[in-house]
Amino acid sequence: MLVNVPRLVTAYYTEVPDPSVAEQRVAFGTSGHRGSSFKKAFNEWHILAISQAICLYREQKKIDGPLFLGMDTHALSEPAQASALEVLAANGVEVMLAEGDEYTPTPAVSHAILTYNRGRETGLADGIVITPSHNPPHDGGFKYNPPNGGPAESAVTAWIEAKANEFLENGLLGLKRVPFEKALRAPTTHRHDYLNAYITDLANVIDMDAIRGAKISMGVDPLGGAGVHYWGPIAERYGLNLTVVNEAVDPTFRFMTVDWDGQIRMDPSSPYAMQRLIGLKDRFEIAFACDTDHDRHGIVTRSSGLLPPNHYLSVAIFYLFQHRPKWRKEAAIGKTVVSSQMIDRVTAKLGRKLYEVPVGFKWFVDGLLDGSLGFGGEESAGASFARLDGTVWTTDKDGIVPALLAAEITARMDRDPGEIYGELTREFGEPVYDRVEAPATPEQKEILEKLSPEQVRSTDLAGEKVQAILTRAPGNGASIGGLKVAAESGWFAARPSGTENIYKIYAESFRGADHLRRILEEAQTIVSDALATSDPKEKS
């Protein structure tokens, strides 16, 4: 099962993508360009082309401050960072590399960009994070974060993607590049202490005194990811009773238990991937893990084991908005359209505004930046929230602070987040949630992405009157790239996959597993009927 790392890296340098093959072109999804060098989807040519495209984008937008460059522990991250640096140095970009060639979590890059840009109007910084997140070991990934510190919005990634593919089509003609040794010694290449800058600031977003004072025992599994060397210094600096249960870094990730489909995947929200930490739940009062670039969290409680992401998001929101007195009274709660309705109920109880957006953390960036959002979270265990004083912490997902928040909650509430979620269900009802996949042709996926509410004929959902049919998010009016149908005690959302010939159905019921099954069955019928009555030519 284990990836052959020398062969993977060799393929990165020797295989040349064919831009006439769709799978071998540069393609930015919700989290940048991803792929495997074995499939000619993530090779040296891709990274050179994307890096040059980013240089041109910076020129066009007059972004001339430093570029913060970070990478995770995937095997392809190291060669991709070298390729990127060769292009960035040749283009005269001031690059901030991690001191000691340390791995860099996504939130540490976002934090560095925002810290540098605070109070500046010109000479703004931006960043690149080289990571395919929790994807399997044979994958590489490349993300661009503009000066707002968060994931680039679609218009930006579309521009970079188009320009990069032009370079691929023209055999990299016009690309600037210097040898790696020269790039390392370039006067524009600098070192930045991401680790200490981030760790020193943590006391401004988490109540570290409460965690230390309660002396609670914590366990953390970095899952061999970019934050592996952050946890020890966090424990030391703040005097925490924190044990790192696994400090191994291995590009094969041989220490992982396999995920639901037999793949190795560093997903902290998966009970399959989290078997080792779940097995240790009784050793610690609270335990947590993060994925490979540390932008997602997984919380393991004594009372309930691994908390599903929706459960923990609900608890985090419930706690934060009652224990952050300096947050703005009008600061809203951000969630994606496929996150639990428990969040809606908690938000109403707190008397806060709900800001519901399409899937993708990029939709929270502006709100987190200007303080109009206190919290932004998505069903796939990604979240970030404001500092104690209500100002911005990061505008990209941060796995480290929600993990430490679980310890703060346990310390201050004298019970763990699993027990608190139990209390919420007694007040608001107990939802059951699931996500399934159904086959769809590329043509059907295109129709689904462009459906209008009028194309849904159903008036009932699993025995209840349909209350809302949405193709745009209530929070910002942006297209959700699919469909959401809601009734009083249940809902479903259907979205096409960006990479496979399937669509995903997310569903939830407050009336138990049988009701959820009915919603899922009817969802497939509703979507099939809508697809059957649509003509893609009319909608395009």
Side-chain angles (χ1 to χ4, degrees):
M1 278 193 72
L2 300 180
V3 66
N4 183 326
V5 173
R7 197 174 291 164
L8 186 75
V9 173
T10 302
Y12 173 84
Y13 286 110
T14 57
E15 299 283 356
V16 175
D18 178 353
S20 69
V21 179
E23 292 74 21
Q24 296 179 28
R25 290 172 70 79
V26 170
F28 273 80
T30 45
S31 298
H33 174 77
R34 289 184 185 178
S36 173
S37 60
F38 288 146
K39 295 179 175 174
K40 298 188 186 180
F42 191 94
N43 302 82
E44 186 180 36
W45 275 45
H46 293 109
I47 304 312
L48 296 172
I50 298 169
S51 302
Q52 184 63 54
I54 287 171
C55 291
L56 294 175
Y57 177 78
R58 295 179 99 239
E59 267 174 43
Q60 192 201 50
K61 295 292 176 189
K62 299 186 171 49
I63 301 166
D64 52 7
L67 183 142
F68 289 93
L69 181 61
M71 65 167 184
D72 77 0
T73 54
H74 276 78
L76 289 173
S77 296
E78 194 95 42
Q81 178 164 287
S83 302
L85 185 63
E86 290 174 0
V87 173
L88 294 166
N91 282 272
V93 175
E94 302 275 341
V95 177
M96 308 301 260
L97 289 178
E99 221 157 70
D101 292 321
E102 185 55 77
Y103 302 112
T104 318
T106 288
V109 174
S110 179
H111 178 269
I113 295 167
L114 293 173
T115 304
Y116 184 87
N117 288 341
R118 192 173 296 133
R120 290 177 197 266
E121 304 268 309
T122 58
L124 297 179
D126 55 0
I128 290 171
V129 195
I130 300 172
T131 173
S133 192
H134 60 291
N135 275 29
H138 54 66
D139 276 2
F142 204 84
K143 296 194 305 188
Y144 175 63
N145 285 32
N148 62 24
E153 58 185 65
S154 307
V156 178
T157 54
W159 193 95
I160 292 168
E161 179 185 304
K163 200 53 87 178
N165 282 319
E166 254 177 61
F167 280 112
L168 291 187
E169 286 157 8
N170 298 328
L172 302 184
L173 190 70
L175 182 122
K176 294 180 187 170
R177 182 184 185 187
V178 296
F180 182 60
E181 277 303 308
K182 193 176 173 188
L184 269 182
R185 291 196 309 270
T188 49
T189 300
H190 313 283
R191 294 289 174 173
H192 178 70
D193 189 353
Y194 290 93
L195 186 144
N196 282 304
Y198 179 88
I199 290 172
T200 306
D201 212 6
L202 278 171
N204 292 311
V205 67
I206 297 290
D207 186 347
M208 290 298 200
D209 294 340
I211 302 174
R212 181 174 56 250
K215 297 186 172 62
I216 60 166
S217 61
M218 293 167 275
V220 60
D221 190 342
L223 301 180
V228 65
H229 300 139
Y230 278 55
W231 293 103
I234 287 172
E236 208 174 309
R237 176 177 289 271
Y238 295 106
L240 307 182
N241 179 12
L242 176 80
T243 305
V244 182
V245 302
N246 170 34
E247 290 185 319
V249 173
D250 177 347
T252 66
F253 294 89
R254 66 181 67 235
F255 46 76
M256 289 299 299
T257 47
V258 295
D259 207 355
W260 59 275
D261 57 355
Q263 288 257 29
I264 295 176
R265 209 179 269 113
M266 289 57 70
D267 180 357
S269 64
S270 163
Y272 300 90
M274 288 280 280
Q275 277 304 305
R276 189 176 55 238
L277 198 58
I278 294 168
L280 298 174
K281 77 180 179 73
D282 296 327
R283 228 182 95 185
F284 304 105
E285 285 164 86
I286 191 81
F288 30 81
C290 292
D291 67 340
T292 328
D293 66 322
H294 271 51
D295 72 344
R296 294 173 192 233
H297 59 270
I299 310 298
V300 176
T301 63
R302 263 189 191 167
S303 64
S304 327
L306 177 67
L307 279 185
N310 278 312
H311 294 198
Y312 182 59
L313 292 181
S314 304
V315 171
I317 290 163
F318 185 69
Y319 172 85
L320 280 167
F321 284 84
Q322 296 181 84
H323 293 86
R324 293 294 186 266
K326 292 182 180 167
W327 281 14
R328 282 161 43 177
K329 292 284 171 275
E330 68 278 11
I333 292 163
K335 67 165 260 198
T336 56
V337 289
V338 296
S339 301
S340 175
Q341 226 174 43
M342 177 63 96
I343 294 170
D344 306 44
R345 296 179 183 199
V346 167
T347 302
K349 164 92 174 176
L350 293 166
R352 292 282 176 160
K353 181 173 172 255
L354 187 71
Y355 182 69
E356 192 173 349
V357 298
V359 173
F361 205 79
K362 62 186 178 187
W363 301 108
F364 299 130
V365 173
D366 292 343
L368 288 168
L369 194 59
D370 67 16
S372 59
L373 280 182
F375 181 97
E378 51 185 12
E379 77 303 329
S380 54
S384 190
F385 47 88
R387 293 167 180 264
L388 296 168
D389 67 2
T391 60
V392 63
W393 168 249
T394 58
T395 47
D396 210 328
K397 299 190 289 273
D398 187 331
I400 297 171
V401 294
L404 290 168
L405 180 71
E408 181 190 324
I409 292 170
T410 307
R412 287 187 65 173
M413 305 300 283
D414 210 21
R415 50 200 192 282
D416 70 40
E419 293 169 295
I420 295 170
Y421 185 74
E423 292 163 18
L424 293 179
T425 63
R426 288 191 281 282
E427 183 171 354
F428 300 114
E430 187 163 358
V432 278
Y433 181 96
D434 199 7
R435 192 186 99 178
V436 299
E437 293 169 354
T441 64
E443 294 73 30
Q444 288 174 320
K445 282 165 58 180
E446 196 183 331
I447 297 166
L448 179 55
E449 211 169 321
K450 296 173 178 171
L451 277 182
S452 67
E454 295 74 45
Q455 286 166 274
V456 177
R457 307 266 193 268
S458 304
T459 53
D460 289 334
L461 178 64
E464 291 185 332
K465 191 173 164 44
V466 167
Q467 292 178 333
I469 299 170
L470 304 172
T471 55
R472 296 193 167 273
N476 59 359
S479 167
I480 61 179
L483 176 72
K484 182 174 182 178
V485 177
E488 189 180 350
S489 30
W491 59 270
F492 81 83
R495 294 178 63 248
S497 163
T499 50
E500 301 164 88
N501 283 334
I502 55 169
Y503 69 90
K504 298 171 185 177
I505 300 175
Y506 307 78
E508 183 177 53
S509 166
F510 277 80
R511 285 174 48 188
D514 288 342
H515 188 242
L516 177 67
R517 242 190 323 275
R518 275 187 69 189
I519 291 175
L520 284 166
E521 284 165 11
E522 290 185 24
Q524 292 198 43
T525 307
I526 289 169
V527 172
S528 299
D529 289 350
L531 292 178
T533 56
S534 305
D535 181 352
K537 294 181 193 67
E538 284 173 27
K539 305 303 294 174
S540 53

